Amino acid sequence: PTTLAPQGHQYIKDTNEIDRKFGSKYMVLIGITPKEGNILQPAVLTSVERLTRKLEATPGVVKATLLSLSAHQVKAIRGTSEGFEARPLMEKAPLTLEESRKLKALIEANPTYVNTIVSPDFKTTAVIVELKERADGFRAMMASVKAVVESEKSNGLNISLGGSPVYYDRTEQLSERMGFLFPLALLVIGLLHYEAFRSKQGLILPLVTALMAVIWGTGFIGMSGKQLDIFNSPTPILILAIAAGHAVQLLKRYYEEYHLLRQSGGSMSPREASHEAIVRSLIGVGPVMLIAGGIAALGFFSLLAFKIETIRSFGLFTGVGILSAVVLEMTFIPAVRSLLSPPKFTPDTSREGIWERLTSWASSQVIPEQKRKVTVSVLAAFALVSLMGMSQVFVDNSSRSLFSRDIDIQKDDAFLNNQLGGTNSLYLMVEGPAPDAIKSPQLLKAMESLQRLAERHAYVGKTVSIVDYLKRMNLAMHADDPSQNVLPGTKELVSQYLLLYSLSGDPDDFNSLVDYQYQAAKITVLLKTDKNADVKALLEELGKASKELFGPDVKVRFGGDVTQNVALTETMVQGKLLNILQIGGTIFVISA
């Protein structure tokens, strides 16, 4: 996973720091929806309880951030004669109608859990899981979670999965299609070559060049310790296509030279004519091959300037493959061709194929004097229209929109975004200047203001922080008087509430919200979109508001899967602009 993100970008650095402190980086949402009725059925709640216990024991799951109706840190805060107490929201799955009614009342009295683990209509409940990063990819990260989910599937329940790891997992699966697409590409290229040359040499030799270039390029990557990943797995097909295209140019020139030599009626034997044709084709087309191959390889090598490891590997892999094709076509293939029998020479059976007809028609449309000005005018007009179109281009990226809407993960994601707060996570880490800074009412009010600001956007489905729990404590202390749904007024009162909570609850319940010293706190923002433009606008708005609300002594970091997407997009755009300039300069120098 680290190769997919620009590690030097501030959002990635912040995401890694938030992950280090709170274990929050890759969120998976498991939605449980009964086919009939609501979630307050014994069968549904028993399934939630089993899922939670299994996930708590699953390697790779961050237990401190696990949320569900039966998670240990999910407590119901309610008033008592002595103040308030914190008890498990669901100690065991209700078995009677009365117990279900009590559970519903507790959920409604603790709105923090609505739109996070319970939908407002009580038709869907969720288990929110954070996964630890693994070096061997997202399929390995998701495998144990999917195994637990599969064990709980039944006829009466629909279980949905959402979150970025679900999409990365599917992308890694789809990348394995290269095992099918590569031979398919080989077949298509071979058929085109055979149609063009109608000879065994015309079919086989370009494919030998292309396949050896792929082998050399892949071998180089293997020996250098690089990996095939979801970005560069299609590279063998790219090398195959480019290498086969270069090989065709030399082969075509060879046939032309051979036929000219045979038509001249000299004393050369067919084998001597073949050898001479090889030399002439190398002299005639070789310099062009070297220049074209050099430009292509240097263009891909320029991707080494990117700040994303997987893009650098892609550039290196492809550049080496193209250079391999050039070397092979200038050495190995001429040697092999000289060993083969000369092609058959039948000057009276030359044919005009589809390629000749197409190029002949094109020349007849642009070369005649009366059509030259029309051609230039029409294409210039297209260029002007395209320039106008360039002004409408804007930067955006939504990795989920690249998938068909008809596949299961897209349907699940749309359903969960409709039922709950969202399957996309944004984390804000507020860091005070000293321990216990988070207990300051002024800082807590600033956090609340930031939450309300985020919630103004339609694509923000829920925000959660320690603020929500403190407000609930204050409300419970005042017999659920609606006017007391506010933060405690003093730092001392905040400390007393937290102490009172610890007497019946567990101090570790807030490990996913505040650090041990109460110097840093996390705000979770659930979003219903991963569109780069929306997320970036939200980040800019929250960043500006943070400076105004907190002042210079408090630092606010932004992390989560959506910020990783923004960082990737920004780095790709900046790197690509630099890449275009590099390629332009390379072409100019080599051409000059």
Side-chain angles (χ1 to χ4, degrees):
T2 56
T3 64
L4 305 179
Q7 296 301 314
H9 197 287
Q10 190 59 51
Y11 284 151
I12 302 300
K13 291 179 181 178
D14 289 350
T15 296
N16 291 337
E17 182 62 17
I18 293 170
D19 181 39
R20 187 184 69 81
K21 283 206 172 189
F22 296 107
S24 298
K25 190 172 186 180
Y26 296 112
M27 184 189 79
V28 177
L29 202 64
I30 304 170
I32 303 155
T33 308
K35 293 181 179 179
E36 293 183 5
N38 61 28
I39 62 168
L40 300 171
Q41 305 172 47
V44 179
L45 298 173
T46 301
S47 180
V48 171
E49 188 173 25
R50 284 198 304 266
L51 262 174
T52 304
R53 298 290 91 83
K54 289 177 183 178
L55 288 168
E56 285 174 342
T58 299
V61 170
V62 182
K63 297 175 180 58
T65 61
L66 183 64
L67 291 178
S68 77
L69 288 173
S70 60
H72 291 301
Q73 56 266 36
V74 174
K75 300 292 197 302
I77 300 172
R78 49 191 171 187
T80 65
S81 57
E82 298 178 357
F84 68 83
E85 64 177 4
R87 298 294 183 189
L89 188 67
M90 189 175 80
E91 292 189 73
K92 61 178 183 177
L95 298 176
T96 67
L97 182 61
E98 182 60 29
E99 288 174 338
S100 295
R101 286 174 179 169
K102 288 181 179 179
L103 175 61
K104 183 180 181 183
L106 286 176
I107 295 170
E108 290 173 338
N110 291 268
T112 302
Y113 304 124
V114 177
N115 263 334
T116 49
I117 56 175
V118 177
S119 63
D121 60 3
F122 283 82
K123 293 294 179 66
T124 298
T125 184
V127 180
I128 298 179
V129 184
E130 296 277 2
L131 300 179
K132 296 176 183 176
E133 192 165 84
R134 287 179 54 149
D136 50 355
F138 289 94
R139 291 186 71 179
M141 288 166 62
M142 284 294 299
S144 55
V145 174
K146 289 165 73 174
V148 171
V149 169
E150 284 295 322
S151 70
E152 282 301 318
K153 285 188 174 179
S154 66
N155 293 331
L157 295 178
N158 289 323
I159 300 184
S160 313
L161 284 172
S164 291
V166 175
Y167 283 84
Y168 284 123
D169 169 48
R170 180 59 62 87
T171 306
E172 288 184 3
Q173 291 180 45
L174 296 176
S175 296
E176 293 185 349
R177 288 184 176 182
M178 292 305 122
F180 163 74
L181 294 176
F182 185 83
L184 181 63
L186 196 66
L187 175 64
V188 171
I189 292 171
L191 290 174
L192 286 170
H193 286 174
Y194 185 76
E195 199 287 327
F197 294 104
R198 297 298 173 100
S199 71
K200 292 180 180 177
Q201 285 193 36
L203 168 65
I204 296 171
L205 290 181
L207 291 183
V208 169
T209 305
L211 283 171
M212 286 190 70
V214 171
I215 291 168
W216 283 23
T218 309
F220 176 83
I221 291 297
M223 287 186 289
S224 64
K226 303 294 183 182
Q227 297 176 348
L228 281 177
D229 56 40
I230 59 178
F231 269 92
N232 59 39
S233 61
T235 309
I237 291 180
L238 180 60
I239 295 174
L240 182 76
I242 294 174
H246 281 301
V248 165
Q249 297 175 47
L250 265 173
L251 185 64
K252 173 69 174 173
R253 184 61 172 261
Y254 163 75
Y255 277 124
E256 291 172 353
E257 295 290 349
Y258 180 76
H259 280 268
L260 284 172
L261 288 168
R262 296 291 288 135
Q263 282 177 335
S264 66
S267 59
M268 284 186 181
S269 67
R271 183 165 291 278
E272 289 173 336
S274 177
H275 287 181
E276 181 63 22
I278 293 170
V279 174
R280 291 187 181 188
S281 62
L282 283 173
I283 293 171
V285 181
V288 178
M289 285 280 294
L290 290 171
I291 293 170
I295 288 174
L298 287 171
F300 283 104
F301 284 146
S302 69
L303 294 176
L304 292 170
F306 267 76
K307 297 179 180 178
I308 305 172
E309 178 61 32
T310 185
I311 302 298
R312 290 199 292 268
S313 297
F314 167 75
L316 184 64
F317 188 1
T318 310
V320 168
I322 293 171
L323 283 183
S324 301
V326 173
V327 171
L328 288 163
E329 195 58 35
M330 299 297 290
T331 56
F332 180 77
I333 298 302
V336 170
R337 191 178 288 119
S338 68
L339 293 171
L340 299 174
S341 299
K344 293 178 180 179
F345 176 62
T346 49
D348 58 334
T349 58
S350 60
R351 67 185 185 88
E352 189 180 63
I354 184 173
W355 315 112
E356 288 81 6
R357 292 197 298 272
L358 280 172
T359 50
S360 177
W361 175 84
S363 63
S364 69
Q365 299 303 307
V366 300
I367 291 176
E369 186 175 353
Q370 67 273 20
K371 295 184 177 180
R372 296 174 196 168
K373 292 182 179 179
V374 174
T375 301
V376 172
S377 300
V378 169
L379 295 179
F382 267 99
L384 288 173
V385 172
S386 298
L387 283 171
M388 293 171 62
M390 285 175 66
S391 66
Q392 304 302 310
V393 171
F394 62 95
V395 176
D396 197 7
N397 181 29
S398 170
S399 56
R400 301 185 189 194
S401 67
L402 302 177
F403 292 82
S404 167
R405 293 182 179 179
D406 297 327
I407 64 174
D408 54 347
I409 60 173
Q410 285 284 63
K411 293 177 180 178
D412 282 1
D413 193 72
F415 174 76
L416 291 172
N417 277 312
N418 182 61
Q419 287 293 101
L420 298 159
T423 60
N424 304 279
S425 58
L426 168 63
Y427 303 117
L428 284 67
M429 186 166 76
V430 180
E431 296 177 280
D436 284 342
I438 300 302
K439 296 178 181 179
S440 163
Q442 290 75 25
L443 192 146
L444 289 167
K445 287 177 182 177
M447 288 176 60
E448 183 180 20
S449 297
L450 212 56
Q451 289 182 242
R452 301 295 87 81
L453 180 63
E455 289 169 354
R456 286 166 45 189
H457 296 274
Y459 49 80
V460 174
K462 186 74 173 182
T463 67
V464 178
S465 77
I466 190 67
V467 167
D468 302 288
Y469 291 89
L470 288 169
K471 287 175 66 177
R472 175 57 193 153
M473 292 176 202
N474 195 66
L475 189 65
M477 282 290 290
H478 294 85
D480 287 342
D481 178 1
S483 65
Q484 296 300 315
N485 188 26
V486 294
L487 285 163
T490 66
K491 192 172 185 177
E492 290 73 22
L493 192 55
V494 170
S495 297
Q496 289 175 21
Y497 281 0
L498 293 171
L499 176 62
L500 187 57
Y501 180 97
S502 68
L503 296 177
S504 54
D506 189 334
D508 291 341
D509 289 345
F510 298 138
N511 283 355
S512 64
L513 300 172
V514 290
D515 67 352
Y516 180 75
Q517 295 182 314
Y518 277 81
Q519 187 170 350
K522 185 188 76 176
I523 301 173
T524 298
V525 181
L526 298 179
L527 298 97
K528 299 176 183 288
T529 181
D530 71 332
K531 288 187 65 176
N532 192 81
D534 291 337
V535 174
K536 193 170 181 180
L538 178 63
L539 289 170
E540 289 174 355
E541 183 180 3
L542 295 179
K544 183 179 179 181
S546 297
K547 293 177 182 178
E548 297 173 356
L549 289 168
F550 294 103
D553 294 333
V554 176
K555 185 174 184 179
V556 179
R557 299 175 186 263
F558 297 90
D561 54 38
V562 293
T563 59
Q564 293 184 79
N565 192 40
V566 170
L568 177 64
T569 303
E570 287 182 351
T571 306
M572 289 283 281
V573 171
Q574 293 168 3
K576 198 61 198 171
L577 291 173
L578 176 61
N579 183 227
I580 290 169
L581 292 174
Q582 289 173 326
I583 294 173
T586 300
I587 293 171
F588 176 81
V589 170
I590 293 178
S591 300

